[in-house]
Amino acid sequence: MKIATDKELTASELGNLLRAGERDAEHKRQLKRYYLGEMAIGWKVGRTNTDINNRLTSNYCSYIVNTATGFFLGKPLTYQSARDISGLLDIFKYNDESAHNLQLAEEAAITGAAYEILYLDGDAQIRLACVPSEQIILVTDATLEENVRYAVRRYGTQNFDGTRGSQFVDVYDAQNISRYSFDGALKLIERQRHYFDDVPIVEYANNGARRGDFEDVLSLVDAYNKAQSLTLDDMEDFTDAFLILKGLGGTTPEDVRELRRNKVISLDDGGDAQWLIKNLNDSYIENMKSRLQRDIHKFSNVPDMTDENFAGNVSGVAIAYKLIGLEHIRSRKEREFKKGLQRRIELIGGVMKLKSRQPIDFRDVTMQFTANLPQDVQALAQVVNQLDGLVSRKTLLGLLPFVEDVDGELKEMEEDGRDYEHADYEHADYEHAD
């Protein structure tokens, strides 16, 4: 949740903020339940006079998030700079940054935004932590820049018996962390410095509206689950159809048991036996479910990767057209994620400066995102050869998906070149000696 205000965050305002944020937090918890497969179909009420009540879950929510997130950050992003950023990369390596980024992207894809807390561990090393989005409320000023003034985190513990434990509220400002206990009333526990230049919580929005990837198709997913469940209900109703016996009014329960046991029925003149079944319009039902499936993929912009028409067309251009909706989603994710990364680097740079280490300016660092798609390496190699001499070697190496560290690769190429020159020089001396 993110709100803008010019007011100072007093204890009274903090209480109001927590109450106002509870609705948004519950909405995010609901989205996470859908991602885990806990959907509305789980509360489907059965028909009267029957025990048949199927509750089938087709977890399109998980499919949409996993596909979109894998396409966006399935390949770790890389960093380039004309300056020495080895200190920054060491911090990222210490935090397993690629796995951490993927966790942030998944959280944002589910709830619409992800939040990262920067802190110093016991060894005074900079650490990155992804916290559940329903725990965070950002308070910004009312300017166009929306500068973060406070970040509020509400969280709790759990007892060993599974019951709810103690509740806490952490308030971050530009200098300090204020910790409160919260049992209906706020009580200040402690206040301490965090040593960052600004509020050390970074937001990674999924898009400008801060909406999850499957949020727009929730009703379609519910409808598809209901259609699937009711179809199976009808099939079981068909299996458990009533047997109508005409002209056999004197049939006793013992006669029925005998019929079931022997599988034989004797009919008098004018008698008849037939099943009472429901006439199912299979074509209508399947067309409706197919339409729901198409709409889910259409409005989520995540294609069905198992579609024969999709997988059977191997043309790179054709596949690109089929993925254009997913590419639009990825580009929006990239722009919003980049904002968060810049703020992360800015906060890290402040602490590095405090430690008298080489300062880092986020404007000097370029982030390279790569869509996670199978690459035609042979075609890319041909492009690189054709562009050789027209663009820089650094740009050419950046086109190759298997080159993750362009600067490191250039350095190794220079070292290999010197080794070759040295070897040629020794060979020349050897021939001269002959």
Side-chain angles (χ1 to χ4, degrees):
M1 181 178 177
K2 187 175 182 180
I3 66 169
T5 180
D6 287 329
K7 294 182 178 180
E8 294 295 326
L9 190 60
T10 62
S12 174
E13 292 294 342
L14 178 58
N16 293 334
L17 188 64
L18 292 172
R19 286 187 288 272
E22 185 55 36
R23 181 177 179 181
D24 179 72
E26 176 54 33
H27 175 63
K28 291 179 178 178
R29 287 191 286 266
Q30 181 189 22
L31 292 174
K32 288 188 174 183
R33 288 193 292 267
Y34 264 74
Y35 175 75
L36 295 174
E38 300 173 16
M39 303 180 180
I41 193 65
W43 290 270
K44 172 176 168 279
V45 178
R47 298 165 178 169
T48 58
N49 302 323
T50 179
D51 294 331
I52 298 174
N53 185 22
N54 292 288
R55 300 169 180 175
L56 304 183
T57 299
S58 300
N59 200 342
Y60 276 100
C61 299
S62 175
Y63 175 82
I64 290 168
V65 167
N66 294 343
T67 302
T69 303
F71 184 67
F72 170 47
L73 272 186
K75 292 185 177 180
L77 62 93
T78 58
Y79 300 88
Q80 301 176 20
S81 178
R83 298 178 180 273
D84 182 10
I85 57 171
S86 57
L88 176 68
L89 297 180
D90 287 342
I91 293 172
F92 287 167
K93 184 177 181 180
Y94 184 73
N95 285 274
D96 192 3
E97 190 237 10
S98 60
H100 174 74
N101 287 343
L102 194 61
Q103 185 181 5
L104 288 170
E106 182 180 276
E107 178 80 13
I110 297 171
T111 65
Y115 297 91
E116 169 187 83
I117 296 180
L118 285 79
Y119 66 99
L120 301 180
D121 63 14
D123 297 325
Q125 297 295 319
I126 299 174
R127 301 303 301 269
L128 311 174
C130 175
V131 294
S133 57
E134 66 269 18
Q135 294 182 357
I136 300 296
I137 302 174
L138 290 185
V139 181
T140 69
D141 58 28
T143 65
L144 295 175
E145 290 82 7
E146 293 186 336
N147 301 301
V148 178
R149 299 179 62 193
Y150 304 98
V152 179
R153 180 192 176 207
R154 179 179 177 177
Y155 59 101
T157 60
Q158 193 174 33
N159 298 322
F160 287 114
D161 60 0
T163 58
R164 182 178 178 180
S166 302
Q167 299 294 303
F168 301 95
V169 175
D170 291 350
V171 179
Y172 294 78
D173 59 30
Q175 292 83 32
N176 303 307
I177 309 172
S178 301
R179 290 194 168 91
Y180 297 84
S181 61
F182 184 63
D183 55 359
L186 291 164
K187 181 180 179 181
L188 182 64
I189 300 175
E190 64 174 344
R191 180 175 287 116
Q192 62 183 30
R193 288 283 305 277
H194 53 61
Y195 299 103
F196 289 89
D197 289 344
D198 204 346
V199 179
I201 291 186
V202 182
E203 180 187 46
Y204 296 83
N206 192 49
N207 45 58
R210 292 177 177 81
R211 291 179 64 82
D213 286 345
F214 59 82
E215 204 163 343
D216 291 336
V217 296
L218 283 177
S219 61
L220 295 174
V221 173
D222 284 337
Y224 183 81
N225 287 336
K226 188 174 182 179
Q228 287 283 72
S229 300
L230 291 175
T231 300
L232 189 56
D233 287 348
D234 289 336
M235 289 180 61
E236 292 190 21
D237 277 341
F238 181 85
T239 303
D240 296 334
F242 290 99
L243 177 63
I244 300 175
L245 299 176
K246 294 181 180 180
L248 298 174
T251 303
T252 65
E254 179 59 32
D255 294 332
V256 173
R257 285 192 289 270
E258 193 70 21
L259 291 174
R260 292 175 62 90
R261 185 163 48 248
N262 297 326
K263 307 296 183 182
V264 174
I265 183 171
S266 177
L267 300 175
D268 296 331
D269 290 340
D272 190 15
Q274 58 182 318
W275 293 105
L276 177 63
I277 62 174
K278 181 186 294 185
N279 293 322
L280 301 178
N281 190 335
D282 293 339
S283 298
Y284 171 78
I285 294 172
E286 291 305 314
N287 286 338
M288 181 184 64
K289 290 191 290 188
S290 297
R291 190 182 307 120
L292 286 171
Q293 283 182 309
R294 289 194 299 270
D295 285 347
I296 289 172
H297 290 292
K298 175 182 177 181
F299 294 114
S300 67
N301 283 313
V302 175
D304 183 1
M305 298 299 183
T306 63
D307 185 358
E308 294 181 0
N309 294 328
F310 184 89
N313 196 335
V314 296
S315 167
V317 175
I319 291 178
Y321 273 115
K322 288 182 177 292
L323 291 175
I324 192 168
L326 189 57
E327 175 60 27
H328 289 332
I329 291 177
R330 190 199 67 81
S331 63
R332 288 197 298 269
K333 287 175 180 284
E334 179 179 321
R335 286 193 290 271
E336 297 295 337
F337 208 86
K338 185 177 180 180
K339 293 178 185 177
L341 292 174
Q342 289 173 335
R343 178 169 166 79
R344 174 202 289 175
I345 295 173
E346 186 177 19
L347 289 168
I348 291 176
V351 174
M352 293 178 67
K353 184 178 180 180
L354 187 65
K355 290 183 174 183
S356 299
R357 297 179 62 179
Q358 184 176 11
I360 295 291
D361 190 331
F362 74 88
R363 290 168 293 190
D364 296 331
V365 181
T366 301
M367 301 101 176
Q368 181 66 45
F369 294 82
T370 304
N372 188 19
L373 274 179
Q375 298 287 339
D376 187 347
V377 178
Q378 183 177 0
L380 286 175
Q382 292 176 354
V383 171
V384 169
N385 285 331
Q386 292 172 358
L387 293 177
D388 189 20
L390 299 177
V391 296
S392 68
R393 183 177 293 180
K394 186 173 184 178
T395 301
L396 293 177
L397 288 175
L399 296 174
L400 301 176
F402 51 83
V403 179
E404 296 183 359
D405 185 359
V406 174
D407 292 330
E409 187 70 21
L410 284 171
K411 186 176 180 180
E412 290 186 11
M413 290 175 66
E414 292 177 359
E415 292 177 354
D416 289 345
R418 285 195 294 269
D419 290 341
Y420 292 145
E421 291 176 0
H422 183 64
D424 290 342
Y425 177 75
E426 290 182 341
H427 183 66
D429 286 348
Y430 179 76
E431 291 180 345
H432 182 71
D434 289 344

